[in-house]
PDB file of all heavy atoms in Angstrom:
ATOM      1  N   TYR A   1     106.247 236.113 -54.708  1.00  0.00           N
ATOM      2  CA  TYR A   1     106.499 234.918 -53.898  1.00  0.00           C
ATOM      3  C   TYR A   1     107.424 233.944 -54.608  1.00  0.00           C
ATOM      4  O   TYR A   1     108.331 233.367 -53.995  1.00  0.00           O
ATOM      5  CB  TYR A   1     105.163 234.248 -53.564  1.00  0.00           C
ATOM      6  CG  TYR A   1     105.287 232.881 -52.936  1.00  0.00           C
ATOM      7  CD1 TYR A   1     105.814 232.732 -51.656  1.00  0.00           C
ATOM      8  CD2 TYR A   1     104.863 231.742 -53.623  1.00  0.00           C
ATOM      9  CE1 TYR A   1     105.921 231.478 -51.075  1.00  0.00           C
ATOM     10  CE2 TYR A   1     104.957 230.486 -53.046  1.00  0.00           C
ATOM     11  CZ  TYR A   1     105.490 230.354 -51.774  1.00  0.00           C
ATOM     12  OH  TYR A   1     105.600 229.111 -51.202  1.00  0.00           O
ATOM     13  N   ASP A   2     107.254 233.791 -55.932  1.00  0.00           N
ATOM     14  CA  ASP A   2     108.122 232.837 -56.643  1.00  0.00           C
ATOM     15  C   ASP A   2     109.577 233.299 -56.673  1.00  0.00           C
ATOM     16  O   ASP A   2     110.489 232.481 -56.779  1.00  0.00           O
ATOM     17  CB  ASP A   2     107.600 232.539 -58.053  1.00  0.00           C
ATOM     18  CG  ASP A   2     107.389 233.785 -58.897  1.00  0.00           C
ATOM     19  OD1 ASP A   2     107.868 234.870 -58.506  1.00  0.00           O
ATOM     20  OD2 ASP A   2     106.744 233.679 -59.957  1.00  0.00           O
ATOM     21  N   GLU A   3     109.809 234.612 -56.557  1.00  0.00           N
ATOM     22  CA  GLU A   3     111.185 235.100 -56.457  1.00  0.00           C
ATOM     23  C   GLU A   3     111.818 234.675 -55.136  1.00  0.00           C
ATOM     24  O   GLU A   3     113.014 234.370 -55.074  1.00  0.00           O
ATOM     25  CB  GLU A   3     111.221 236.621 -56.569  1.00  0.00           C
ATOM     26  CG  GLU A   3     110.934 237.176 -57.945  1.00  0.00           C
ATOM     27  CD  GLU A   3     111.136 238.677 -57.975  1.00  0.00           C
ATOM     28  OE1 GLU A   3     112.302 239.122 -58.053  1.00  0.00           O
ATOM     29  OE2 GLU A   3     110.130 239.408 -57.888  1.00  0.00           O
ATOM     30  N   LEU A   4     111.020 234.665 -54.071  1.00  0.00           N
ATOM     31  CA  LEU A   4     111.541 234.200 -52.780  1.00  0.00           C
ATOM     32  C   LEU A   4     111.954 232.740 -52.860  1.00  0.00           C
ATOM     33  O   LEU A   4     112.988 232.338 -52.321  1.00  0.00           O
ATOM     34  CB  LEU A   4     110.490 234.359 -51.674  1.00  0.00           C
ATOM     35  CG  LEU A   4     110.280 235.712 -51.019  1.00  0.00           C
ATOM     36  CD1 LEU A   4     109.481 235.530 -49.733  1.00  0.00           C
ATOM     37  CD2 LEU A   4     111.584 236.419 -50.734  1.00  0.00           C
ATOM     38  N   LEU A   5     111.131 231.944 -53.511  1.00  0.00           N
ATOM     39  CA  LEU A   5     111.448 230.525 -53.642  1.00  0.00           C
ATOM     40  C   LEU A   5     112.730 230.310 -54.442  1.00  0.00           C
ATOM     41  O   LEU A   5     113.454 229.333 -54.228  1.00  0.00           O
ATOM     42  CB  LEU A   5     110.291 229.786 -54.315  1.00  0.00           C
ATOM     43  CG  LEU A   5     108.976 229.721 -53.536  1.00  0.00           C
ATOM     44  CD1 LEU A   5     107.906 229.016 -54.366  1.00  0.00           C
ATOM     45  CD2 LEU A   5     109.167 229.005 -52.196  1.00  0.00           C
ATOM     46  N   ASP A   6     113.031 231.228 -55.357  1.00  0.00           N
ATOM     47  CA  ASP A   6     114.196 231.103 -56.216  1.00  0.00           C
ATOM     48  C   ASP A   6     115.428 231.804 -55.640  1.00  0.00           C
ATOM     49  O   ASP A   6     116.513 231.745 -56.211  1.00  0.00           O
ATOM     50  CB  ASP A   6     113.869 231.699 -57.597  1.00  0.00           C
ATOM     51  CG  ASP A   6     114.850 231.251 -58.668  1.00  0.00           C
ATOM     52  OD1 ASP A   6     115.258 230.068 -58.641  1.00  0.00           O
ATOM     53  OD2 ASP A   6     115.224 232.081 -59.509  1.00  0.00           O
ATOM     54  N   ALA A   7     115.263 232.475 -54.482  1.00  0.00           N
ATOM     55  CA  ALA A   7     116.372 233.231 -53.890  1.00  0.00           C
ATOM     56  C   ALA A   7     117.405 232.291 -53.273  1.00  0.00           C
ATOM     57  O   ALA A   7     117.120 231.132 -52.949  1.00  0.00           O
ATOM     58  CB  ALA A   7     115.836 234.180 -52.830  1.00  0.00           C
ATOM     59  N   ASP A   8     118.611 232.810 -53.091  1.00  0.00           N
ATOM     60  CA  ASP A   8     119.658 232.044 -52.406  1.00  0.00           C
ATOM     61  C   ASP A   8     119.421 232.032 -50.898  1.00  0.00           C
ATOM     62  O   ASP A   8     119.700 231.039 -50.223  1.00  0.00           O
ATOM     63  CB  ASP A   8     121.036 232.654 -52.700  1.00  0.00           C
ATOM     64  CG  ASP A   8     121.377 232.633 -54.184  1.00  0.00           C
ATOM     65  OD1 ASP A   8     121.009 231.652 -54.855  1.00  0.00           O
ATOM     66  OD2 ASP A   8     122.000 233.603 -54.653  1.00  0.00           O
ATOM     67  N   GLU A   9     118.941 233.157 -50.383  1.00  0.00           N
ATOM     68  CA  GLU A   9     118.651 233.281 -48.950  1.00  0.00           C
ATOM     69  C   GLU A   9     117.425 234.160 -48.770  1.00  0.00           C
ATOM     70  O   GLU A   9     117.124 235.022 -49.599  1.00  0.00           O
ATOM     71  CB  GLU A   9     119.805 233.951 -48.191  1.00  0.00           C
ATOM     72  CG  GLU A   9     121.123 233.235 -48.210  1.00  0.00           C
ATOM     73  CD  GLU A   9     122.176 233.973 -47.377  1.00  0.00           C
ATOM     74  OE1 GLU A   9     121.815 234.555 -46.319  1.00  0.00           O
ATOM     75  OE2 GLU A   9     123.349 233.974 -47.790  1.00  0.00           O
ATOM     76  N   VAL A  10     116.750 233.945 -47.650  1.00  0.00           N
ATOM     77  CA  VAL A  10     115.684 234.824 -47.196  1.00  0.00           C
ATOM     78  C   VAL A  10     115.911 235.070 -45.708  1.00  0.00           C
ATOM     79  O   VAL A  10     116.253 234.147 -44.969  1.00  0.00           O
ATOM     80  CB  VAL A  10     114.285 234.202 -47.417  1.00  0.00           C
ATOM     81  CG1 VAL A  10     113.199 235.050 -46.756  1.00  0.00           C
ATOM     82  CG2 VAL A  10     113.999 234.045 -48.908  1.00  0.00           C
ATOM     83  N   PHE A  11     115.777 236.316 -45.291  1.00  0.00           N
ATOM     84  CA  PHE A  11     115.815 236.591 -43.858  1.00  0.00           C
ATOM     85  C   PHE A  11     114.749 237.614 -43.517  1.00  0.00           C
ATOM     86  O   PHE A  11     114.253 238.337 -44.384  1.00  0.00           O
ATOM     87  CB  PHE A  11     117.205 237.036 -43.390  1.00  0.00           C
ATOM     88  CG  PHE A  11     117.715 238.324 -43.972  1.00  0.00           C
ATOM     89  CD1 PHE A  11     117.415 239.552 -43.388  1.00  0.00           C
ATOM     90  CD2 PHE A  11     118.540 238.317 -45.093  1.00  0.00           C
ATOM     91  CE1 PHE A  11     117.900 240.740 -43.913  1.00  0.00           C
ATOM     92  CE2 PHE A  11     119.037 239.504 -45.627  1.00  0.00           C
ATOM     93  CZ  PHE A  11     118.715 240.718 -45.032  1.00  0.00           C
ATOM     94  N   VAL A  12     114.366 237.628 -42.254  1.00  0.00           N
ATOM     95  CA  VAL A  12     113.364 238.576 -41.774  1.00  0.00           C
ATOM     96  C   VAL A  12     113.995 239.457 -40.713  1.00  0.00           C
ATOM     97  O   VAL A  12     115.021 239.102 -40.117  1.00  0.00           O
ATOM     98  CB  VAL A  12     112.123 237.857 -41.211  1.00  0.00           C
ATOM     99  CG1 VAL A  12     111.437 237.028 -42.292  1.00  0.00           C
ATOM    100  CG2 VAL A  12     112.484 236.982 -40.023  1.00  0.00           C
ATOM    101  N   CYS A  13     113.383 240.608 -40.479  1.00  0.00           N
ATOM    102  CA  CYS A  13     113.913 241.499 -39.451  1.00  0.00           C
ATOM    103  C   CYS A  13     112.789 242.273 -38.792  1.00  0.00           C
ATOM    104  O   CYS A  13     111.748 242.550 -39.390  1.00  0.00           O
ATOM    105  CB  CYS A  13     114.948 242.450 -40.047  1.00  0.00           C
ATOM    106  SG  CYS A  13     114.272 243.719 -41.125  1.00  0.00           S
ATOM    107  N   GLY A  14     113.006 242.597 -37.532  1.00  0.00           N
ATOM    108  CA  GLY A  14     112.058 243.372 -36.746  1.00  0.00           C
ATOM    109  C   GLY A  14     112.661 243.618 -35.381  1.00  0.00           C
ATOM    110  O   GLY A  14     113.699 243.041 -35.039  1.00  0.00           O
ATOM    111  N   THR A  15     112.025 244.449 -34.600  1.00  0.00           N
ATOM    112  CA  THR A  15     112.560 244.758 -33.271  1.00  0.00           C
ATOM    113  C   THR A  15     112.759 243.506 -32.443  1.00  0.00           C
ATOM    114  O   THR A  15     113.803 243.318 -31.814  1.00  0.00           O
ATOM    115  CB  THR A  15     111.624 245.733 -32.536  1.00  0.00           C
ATOM    116  OG1 THR A  15     111.609 246.978 -33.248  1.00  0.00           O
ATOM    117  CG2 THR A  15     112.098 245.984 -31.119  1.00  0.00           C
ATOM    118  N   ALA A  16     111.761 242.638 -32.420  1.00  0.00           N
ATOM    119  CA  ALA A  16     111.875 241.400 -31.640  1.00  0.00           C
ATOM    120  C   ALA A  16     112.694 240.355 -32.378  1.00  0.00           C
ATOM    121  O   ALA A  16     113.539 239.675 -31.798  1.00  0.00           O
ATOM    122  CB  ALA A  16     110.488 240.855 -31.312  1.00  0.00           C
ATOM    123  N   ALA A  17     112.464 240.212 -33.682  1.00  0.00           N
ATOM    124  CA  ALA A  17     113.164 239.188 -34.475  1.00  0.00           C
ATOM    125  C   ALA A  17     114.613 239.554 -34.734  1.00  0.00           C
ATOM    126  O   ALA A  17     115.419 238.690 -35.078  1.00  0.00           O
ATOM    127  CB  ALA A  17     112.441 238.977 -35.799  1.00  0.00           C
ATOM    128  N   GLU A  18     114.961 240.842 -34.593  1.00  0.00           N
ATOM    129  CA  GLU A  18     116.281 241.351 -34.972  1.00  0.00           C
ATOM    130  C   GLU A  18     116.530 240.981 -36.440  1.00  0.00           C
ATOM    131  O   GLU A  18     115.697 241.273 -37.284  1.00  0.00           O
ATOM    132  CB  GLU A  18     117.353 240.827 -34.008  1.00  0.00           C
ATOM    133  CG  GLU A  18     117.102 241.297 -32.574  1.00  0.00           C
ATOM    134  CD  GLU A  18     118.083 240.752 -31.566  1.00  0.00           C
ATOM    135  OE1 GLU A  18     118.403 239.544 -31.624  1.00  0.00           O
ATOM    136  OE2 GLU A  18     118.515 241.533 -30.699  1.00  0.00           O
ATOM    137  N   VAL A  19     117.645 240.338 -36.770  1.00  0.00           N
ATOM    138  CA  VAL A  19     117.879 239.840 -38.130  1.00  0.00           C
ATOM    139  C   VAL A  19     117.961 238.322 -38.036  1.00  0.00           C
ATOM    140  O   VAL A  19     118.859 237.779 -37.384  1.00  0.00           O
ATOM    141  CB  VAL A  19     119.173 240.408 -38.742  1.00  0.00           C
ATOM    142  CG1 VAL A  19     119.414 239.796 -40.125  1.00  0.00           C
ATOM    143  CG2 VAL A  19     119.099 241.932 -38.829  1.00  0.00           C
ATOM    144  N   THR A  20     117.016 237.642 -38.656  1.00  0.00           N
ATOM    145  CA  THR A  20     116.911 236.192 -38.502  1.00  0.00           C
ATOM    146  C   THR A  20     116.786 235.487 -39.850  1.00  0.00           C
ATOM    147  O   THR A  20     115.818 235.713 -40.583  1.00  0.00           O
ATOM    148  CB  THR A  20     115.673 235.833 -37.644  1.00  0.00           C
ATOM    149  OG1 THR A  20     115.766 236.467 -36.371  1.00  0.00           O
ATOM    150  CG2 THR A  20     115.572 234.330 -37.450  1.00  0.00           C
ATOM    151  N   PRO A  21     117.773 234.654 -40.216  1.00  0.00           N
ATOM    152  CA  PRO A  21     117.672 233.889 -41.469  1.00  0.00           C
ATOM    153  C   PRO A  21     116.505 232.907 -41.429  1.00  0.00           C
ATOM    154  O   PRO A  21     116.173 232.349 -40.376  1.00  0.00           O
ATOM    155  CB  PRO A  21     119.011 233.145 -41.529  1.00  0.00           C
ATOM    156  CG  PRO A  21     119.940 233.927 -40.658  1.00  0.00           C
ATOM    157  CD  PRO A  21     119.078 234.466 -39.556  1.00  0.00           C
ATOM    158  N   VAL A  22     115.887 232.703 -42.574  1.00  0.00           N
ATOM    159  CA  VAL A  22     114.794 231.735 -42.716  1.00  0.00           C
ATOM    160  C   VAL A  22     115.378 230.423 -43.212  1.00  0.00           C
ATOM    161  O   VAL A  22     116.110 230.392 -44.212  1.00  0.00           O
ATOM    162  CB  VAL A  22     113.725 232.270 -43.688  1.00  0.00           C
ATOM    163  CG1 VAL A  22     112.692 231.180 -44.022  1.00  0.00           C
ATOM    164  CG2 VAL A  22     113.038 233.495 -43.100  1.00  0.00           C
ATOM    165  N   ASP A  23     115.072 229.337 -42.530  1.00  0.00           N
ATOM    166  CA  ASP A  23     115.572 228.018 -42.923  1.00  0.00           C
ATOM    167  C   ASP A  23     114.727 227.380 -44.021  1.00  0.00           C
ATOM    168  O   ASP A  23     115.257 226.755 -44.936  1.00  0.00           O
ATOM    169  CB  ASP A  23     115.611 227.092 -41.703  1.00  0.00           C
ATOM    170  CG  ASP A  23     116.561 227.589 -40.637  1.00  0.00           C
ATOM    171  OD1 ASP A  23     117.770 227.474 -40.833  1.00  0.00           O
ATOM    172  OD2 ASP A  23     116.081 228.117 -39.617  1.00  0.00           O
ATOM    173  N   GLU A  24     113.390 227.545 -43.890  1.00  0.00           N
ATOM    174  CA  GLU A  24     112.484 226.929 -44.856  1.00  0.00           C
ATOM    175  C   GLU A  24     111.331 227.878 -45.164  1.00  0.00           C
ATOM    176  O   GLU A  24     110.852 228.578 -44.280  1.00  0.00           O
ATOM    177  CB  GLU A  24     111.901 225.619 -44.297  1.00  0.00           C
ATOM    178  CG  GLU A  24     112.925 224.558 -43.955  1.00  0.00           C
ATOM    179  CD  GLU A  24     112.288 223.328 -43.329  1.00  0.00           C
ATOM    180  OE1 GLU A  24     111.150 223.004 -43.728  1.00  0.00           O
ATOM    181  OE2 GLU A  24     112.904 222.721 -42.446  1.00  0.00           O
ATOM    182  N   LEU A  25     110.903 227.866 -46.415  1.00  0.00           N
ATOM    183  CA  LEU A  25     109.706 228.577 -46.844  1.00  0.00           C
ATOM    184  C   LEU A  25     108.820 227.576 -47.565  1.00  0.00           C
ATOM    185  O   LEU A  25     109.145 227.122 -48.667  1.00  0.00           O
ATOM    186  CB  LEU A  25     110.070 229.741 -47.771  1.00  0.00           C
ATOM    187  CG  LEU A  25     108.898 230.444 -48.468  1.00  0.00           C
ATOM    188  CD1 LEU A  25     107.892 230.975 -47.453  1.00  0.00           C
ATOM    189  CD2 LEU A  25     109.405 231.568 -49.366  1.00  0.00           C
ATOM    190  N   ASP A  26     107.728 227.209 -46.902  1.00  0.00           N
ATOM    191  CA  ASP A  26     106.889 226.121 -47.396  1.00  0.00           C
ATOM    192  C   ASP A  26     107.775 224.899 -47.650  1.00  0.00           C
ATOM    193  O   ASP A  26     108.390 224.399 -46.742  1.00  0.00           O
ATOM    194  CB  ASP A  26     106.089 226.562 -48.625  1.00  0.00           C
ATOM    195  CG  ASP A  26     104.984 227.564 -48.236  1.00  0.00           C
ATOM    196  OD1 ASP A  26     104.457 227.453 -47.121  1.00  0.00           O
ATOM    197  OD2 ASP A  26     104.672 228.446 -49.039  1.00  0.00           O
ATOM    198  N   ASP A  27     107.889 224.427 -48.903  1.00  0.00           N
ATOM    199  CA  ASP A  27     108.702 223.237 -49.175  1.00  0.00           C
ATOM    200  C   ASP A  27     110.130 223.574 -49.594  1.00  0.00           C
ATOM    201  O   ASP A  27     110.933 222.675 -49.867  1.00  0.00           O
ATOM    202  CB  ASP A  27     108.055 222.395 -50.283  1.00  0.00           C
ATOM    203  CG  ASP A  27     106.713 221.814 -49.855  1.00  0.00           C
ATOM    204  OD1 ASP A  27     106.568 221.513 -48.652  1.00  0.00           O
ATOM    205  OD2 ASP A  27     105.829 221.685 -50.719  1.00  0.00           O
ATOM    206  N   ARG A  28     110.468 224.854 -49.642  1.00  0.00           N
ATOM    207  CA  ARG A  28     111.805 225.278 -50.068  1.00  0.00           C
ATOM    208  C   ARG A  28     112.725 225.340 -48.855  1.00  0.00           C
ATOM    209  O   ARG A  28     112.430 226.010 -47.861  1.00  0.00           O
ATOM    210  CB  ARG A  28     111.712 226.652 -50.730  1.00  0.00           C
ATOM    211  CG  ARG A  28     113.066 227.345 -50.974  1.00  0.00           C
ATOM    212  CD  ARG A  28     113.826 226.710 -52.140  1.00  0.00           C
ATOM    213  NE  ARG A  28     114.806 227.628 -52.688  1.00  0.00           N
ATOM    214  CZ  ARG A  28     116.097 227.667 -52.335  1.00  0.00           C
ATOM    215  NH1 ARG A  28     116.563 226.827 -51.410  1.00  0.00           N
ATOM    216  NH2 ARG A  28     116.911 228.542 -52.896  1.00  0.00           N
ATOM    217  N   VAL A  29     113.843 224.611 -48.926  1.00  0.00           N
ATOM    218  CA  VAL A  29     114.846 224.609 -47.857  1.00  0.00           C
ATOM    219  C   VAL A  29     116.050 225.408 -48.337  1.00  0.00           C
ATOM    220  O   VAL A  29     116.588 225.140 -49.412  1.00  0.00           O
ATOM    221  CB  VAL A  29     115.277 223.175 -47.484  1.00  0.00           C
ATOM    222  CG1 VAL A  29     116.351 223.207 -46.405  1.00  0.00           C
ATOM    223  CG2 VAL A  29     114.074 222.364 -47.023  1.00  0.00           C
ATOM    224  N   TYR A  30     116.445 226.403 -47.540  1.00  0.00           N
ATOM    225  CA  TYR A  30     117.592 227.234 -47.909  1.00  0.00           C
ATOM    226  C   TYR A  30     118.871 226.637 -47.338  1.00  0.00           C
ATOM    227  O   TYR A  30     118.852 225.792 -46.465  1.00  0.00           O
ATOM    228  CB  TYR A  30     117.385 228.669 -47.427  1.00  0.00           C
ATOM    229  CG  TYR A  30     116.203 229.335 -48.099  1.00  0.00           C
ATOM    230  CD1 TYR A  30     114.968 229.389 -47.470  1.00  0.00           C
ATOM    231  CD2 TYR A  30     116.318 229.855 -49.385  1.00  0.00           C
ATOM    232  CE1 TYR A  30     113.870 229.975 -48.092  1.00  0.00           C
ATOM    233  CE2 TYR A  30     115.232 230.436 -50.029  1.00  0.00           C
ATOM    234  CZ  TYR A  30     114.006 230.486 -49.373  1.00  0.00           C
ATOM    235  OH  TYR A  30     112.927 231.042 -50.004  1.00  0.00           O
ATOM    236  N   GLY A  31     119.988 227.125 -47.823  1.00  0.00           N
ATOM    237  CA  GLY A  31     121.276 226.542 -47.461  1.00  0.00           C
ATOM    238  C   GLY A  31     121.933 227.195 -46.269  1.00  0.00           C
ATOM    239  O   GLY A  31     121.335 227.339 -45.202  1.00  0.00           O
ATOM    240  N   ASP A  32     123.151 227.664 -46.463  1.00  0.00           N
ATOM    241  CA  ASP A  32     123.987 228.138 -45.364  1.00  0.00           C
ATOM    242  C   ASP A  32     123.537 229.473 -44.798  1.00  0.00           C
ATOM    243  O   ASP A  32     123.809 229.788 -43.644  1.00  0.00           O
ATOM    244  CB  ASP A  32     125.441 228.251 -45.871  1.00  0.00           C
ATOM    245  CG  ASP A  32     126.383 228.727 -44.781  1.00  0.00           C
ATOM    246  OD1 ASP A  32     126.379 228.123 -43.689  1.00  0.00           O
ATOM    247  OD2 ASP A  32     127.101 229.707 -45.009  1.00  0.00           O
ATOM    248  N   ASN A  33     122.844 230.305 -45.585  1.00  0.00           N
ATOM    249  CA  ASN A  33     122.390 231.633 -45.135  1.00  0.00           C
ATOM    250  C   ASN A  33     123.549 232.499 -44.640  1.00  0.00           C
ATOM    251  O   ASN A  33     123.441 233.194 -43.625  1.00  0.00           O
ATOM    252  CB  ASN A  33     121.330 231.506 -44.039  1.00  0.00           C
ATOM    253  CG  ASN A  33     120.041 230.889 -44.544  1.00  0.00           C
ATOM    254  OD1 ASN A  33     119.557 231.242 -45.618  1.00  0.00           O
ATOM    255  ND2 ASN A  33     119.480 229.966 -43.782  1.00  0.00           N
ATOM    256  N   ARG A  34     124.645 232.493 -45.371  1.00  0.00           N
ATOM    257  CA  ARG A  34     125.849 233.200 -44.924  1.00  0.00           C
ATOM    258  C   ARG A  34     125.621 234.698 -44.779  1.00  0.00           C
ATOM    259  O   ARG A  34     126.009 235.307 -43.779  1.00  0.00           O
ATOM    260  CB  ARG A  34     126.991 232.957 -45.915  1.00  0.00           C
ATOM    261  CG  ARG A  34     128.292 233.693 -45.556  1.00  0.00           C
ATOM    262  CD  ARG A  34     129.329 233.560 -46.654  1.00  0.00           C
ATOM    263  NE  ARG A  34     128.874 234.113 -47.912  1.00  0.00           N
ATOM    264  CZ  ARG A  34     128.919 235.416 -48.213  1.00  0.00           C
ATOM    265  NH1 ARG A  34     129.392 236.283 -47.342  1.00  0.00           N
ATOM    266  NH2 ARG A  34     128.492 235.839 -49.388  1.00  0.00           N
ATOM    267  N   VAL A  35     124.979 235.308 -45.775  1.00  0.00           N
ATOM    268  CA  VAL A  35     124.762 236.758 -45.735  1.00  0.00           C
ATOM    269  C   VAL A  35     123.882 237.131 -44.541  1.00  0.00           C
ATOM    270  O   VAL A  35     124.174 238.080 -43.805  1.00  0.00           O
ATOM    271  CB  VAL A  35     124.125 237.250 -47.052  1.00  0.00           C
ATOM    272  CG1 VAL A  35     123.744 238.732 -46.951  1.00  0.00           C
ATOM    273  CG2 VAL A  35     125.071 237.025 -48.220  1.00  0.00           C
ATOM    274  N   GLY A  36     122.814 236.370 -44.333  1.00  0.00           N
ATOM    275  CA  GLY A  36     121.930 236.641 -43.203  1.00  0.00           C
ATOM    276  C   GLY A  36     122.627 236.494 -41.866  1.00  0.00           C
ATOM    277  O   GLY A  36     122.440 237.308 -40.956  1.00  0.00           O
ATOM    278  N   ARG A  37     123.459 235.466 -41.732  1.00  0.00           N
ATOM    279  CA  ARG A  37     124.173 235.251 -40.470  1.00  0.00           C
ATOM    280  C   ARG A  37     125.177 236.371 -40.207  1.00  0.00           C
ATOM    281  O   ARG A  37     125.290 236.870 -39.083  1.00  0.00           O
ATOM    282  CB  ARG A  37     124.882 233.898 -40.492  1.00  0.00           C
ATOM    283  CG  ARG A  37     123.942 232.699 -40.374  1.00  0.00           C
ATOM    284  CD  ARG A  37     124.693 231.397 -40.189  1.00  0.00           C
ATOM    285  NE  ARG A  37     125.482 231.044 -41.369  1.00  0.00           N
ATOM    286  CZ  ARG A  37     126.789 231.192 -41.492  1.00  0.00           C
ATOM    287  NH1 ARG A  37     127.503 231.708 -40.485  1.00  0.00           N
ATOM    288  NH2 ARG A  37     127.428 230.837 -42.597  1.00  0.00           N
ATOM    289  N   GLU A  38     125.896 236.782 -41.236  1.00  0.00           N
ATOM    290  CA  GLU A  38     126.875 237.851 -41.056  1.00  0.00           C
ATOM    291  C   GLU A  38     126.188 239.177 -40.729  1.00  0.00           C
ATOM    292  O   GLU A  38     126.681 239.955 -39.905  1.00  0.00           O
ATOM    293  CB  GLU A  38     127.735 237.985 -42.314  1.00  0.00           C
ATOM    294  CG  GLU A  38     128.672 236.798 -42.521  1.00  0.00           C
ATOM    295  CD  GLU A  38     129.495 236.927 -43.797  1.00  0.00           C
ATOM    296  OE1 GLU A  38     129.260 237.907 -44.560  1.00  0.00           O
ATOM    297  OE2 GLU A  38     130.355 236.051 -44.034  1.00  0.00           O
ATOM    298  N   LEU A  39     125.052 239.414 -41.364  1.00  0.00           N
ATOM    299  CA  LEU A  39     124.319 240.643 -41.093  1.00  0.00           C
ATOM    300  C   LEU A  39     123.748 240.638 -39.669  1.00  0.00           C
ATOM    301  O   LEU A  39     123.731 241.670 -38.994  1.00  0.00           O
ATOM    302  CB  LEU A  39     123.199 240.830 -42.115  1.00  0.00           C
ATOM    303  CG  LEU A  39     122.372 242.102 -41.993  1.00  0.00           C
ATOM    304  CD1 LEU A  39     123.259 243.339 -42.056  1.00  0.00           C
ATOM    305  CD2 LEU A  39     121.308 242.151 -43.083  1.00  0.00           C
ATOM    306  N   ALA A  40     123.298 239.468 -39.212  1.00  0.00           N
ATOM    307  CA  ALA A  40     122.802 239.357 -37.843  1.00  0.00           C
ATOM    308  C   ALA A  40     123.891 239.703 -36.840  1.00  0.00           C
ATOM    309  O   ALA A  40     123.637 240.378 -35.825  1.00  0.00           O
ATOM    310  CB  ALA A  40     122.271 237.942 -37.591  1.00  0.00           C
ATOM    311  N   GLN A  41     125.103 239.283 -37.115  1.00  0.00           N
ATOM    312  CA  GLN A  41     126.235 239.603 -36.230  1.00  0.00           C
ATOM    313  C   GLN A  41     126.562 241.095 -36.281  1.00  0.00           C
ATOM    314  O   GLN A  41     126.835 241.722 -35.246  1.00  0.00           O
ATOM    315  CB  GLN A  41     127.448 238.772 -36.637  1.00  0.00           C
ATOM    316  CG  GLN A  41     127.269 237.277 -36.390  1.00  0.00           C
ATOM    317  CD  GLN A  41     128.356 236.437 -37.048  1.00  0.00           C
ATOM    318  OE1 GLN A  41     129.279 236.970 -37.672  1.00  0.00           O
ATOM    319  NE2 GLN A  41     128.250 235.123 -36.924  1.00  0.00           N
ATOM    320  N   GLN A  42     126.523 241.662 -37.469  1.00  0.00           N
ATOM    321  CA  GLN A  42     126.770 243.100 -37.597  1.00  0.00           C
ATOM    322  C   GLN A  42     125.708 243.895 -36.841  1.00  0.00           C
ATOM    323  O   GLN A  42     126.020 244.898 -36.179  1.00  0.00           O
ATOM    324  CB  GLN A  42     126.774 243.513 -39.072  1.00  0.00           C
ATOM    325  CG  GLN A  42     127.050 244.997 -39.290  1.00  0.00           C
ATOM    326  CD  GLN A  42     126.951 245.412 -40.747  1.00  0.00           C
ATOM    327  OE1 GLN A  42     126.545 244.617 -41.612  1.00  0.00           O
ATOM    328  NE2 GLN A  42     127.318 246.646 -41.044  1.00  0.00           N
TER     329      GLN A  42
END
């Protein structure tokens, strides 16, 4: 879990969720989520 907090981006995926960047994890706010957004488009 502490690695997630220290990551640059976090995203989740599933049939319904598709590829979806995570904006916040508990008190951690992520930034632009560029990789997640580009992957969602792909």
